[in-house]
């Protein structure tokens, strides 16, 4: 996967400060992966055992920072709930990740 250092959740959803003391994400900014995106951009994996989103991100993208992209791709809203062992997840192919990230950042 090419350089994705600007792909962390914190970079996509800018951090805001108030009086240089409080930090917050703009949670009103939303991103959706379109349902009609060409299926050739994806592949499926089956979750084996108890895995966290961060582990899955590292397994598929060799970085822990794209956990949020796996959740968005699968329309999962709560990152605290771990994937069920045996469940099928749709994964955005590595070659499409930077294209998607660039569009999100614009």
């Amino acid at each position: 996967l090419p350089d994705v250092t600007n792909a962390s959740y914190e970079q996509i959803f800018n951090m805001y400060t108030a009086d240089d003391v409080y930090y917050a994400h703009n949670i009103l900014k939303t991103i959706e992966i379109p349902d009609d995106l060409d299926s050739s951009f994806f592949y499926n994996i089956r979750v084996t055992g108890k895995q966290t989103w961060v582990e899955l991100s590292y397994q598929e993208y060799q970085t822990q920072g794209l956990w949020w992209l796996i959740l968005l791709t699968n329309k999962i809203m709560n990152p605290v709930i771990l994937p069920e062992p045996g469940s099928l997840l749709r994964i955005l192919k590595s070659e499409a990740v930077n294209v998607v990230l660039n569009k999100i950042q614009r």
Side-chain angles (χ1 to χ4, degrees), residues 56-101:
L56 288 168
S57 174
Y58 191 80
Q59 173 185 309
E60 299 305 318
Y61 299 121
Q62 292 71 56
T63 178
Q64 295 177 358
L66 290 173
W67 59 269
W68 59 271
L69 186 59
I70 296 172
L71 271 76
L72 283 177
T73 302
N74 291 279
K75 301 196 181 318
I76 296 169
M77 297 297 138
N78 188 346
V80 175
I81 298 173
L82 298 180
E84 288 290 324
S87 61
L88 196 62
L89 294 176
R90 190 167 80 146
I91 303 294
L92 188 63
K93 288 183 178 178
S94 295
E95 52 271 17
V97 169
N98 279 326
V99 173
V100 169
L101 293 176

Side-chain angles (χ1 to χ4, degrees), residues 1-4 7 12 33 37 41 68-69 92-106:
L1 186 64
D3 181 32
V4 290
I12 299 295
I33 305 294
L37 198 59
F41 289 118
W68 59 271
L69 186 59
L92 188 63
K93 288 183 178 178
S94 295
E95 52 271 17
V97 169
N98 279 326
V99 173
V100 169
L101 293 176
N102 286 336
K103 289 196 180 277
I104 289 171
Q105 290 175 338
R106 283 190 220 141

Side-chain angles (χ1 to χ4, degrees), residues 1-62:
L1 186 64
D3 181 32
V4 290
T5 54
N6 290 328
S8 69
Y9 187 80
E10 293 80 11
Q11 293 295 325
I12 299 295
F13 296 94
N14 295 332
M15 186 72 78
Y16 298 93
T17 61
D19 300 325
D20 295 325
V21 177
Y22 301 103
Y23 299 92
H25 288 288
N26 179 359
I27 61 172
L28 299 178
K29 183 176 181 181
T30 60
I31 299 171
E32 284 188 40
I33 305 294
D35 290 330
D36 60 351
L37 198 59
D38 189 337
S39 63
S40 67
F41 289 118
F42 303 96
Y43 61 93
N44 293 321
I45 63 164
R46 190 155 308 273
V47 177
T48 57
K50 291 238 178 213
Q51 292 181 282
T52 67
W53 299 113
V54 172
E55 288 172 326
L56 288 168
S57 174
Y58 191 80
Q59 173 185 309
E60 299 305 318
Y61 299 121
Q62 292 71 56

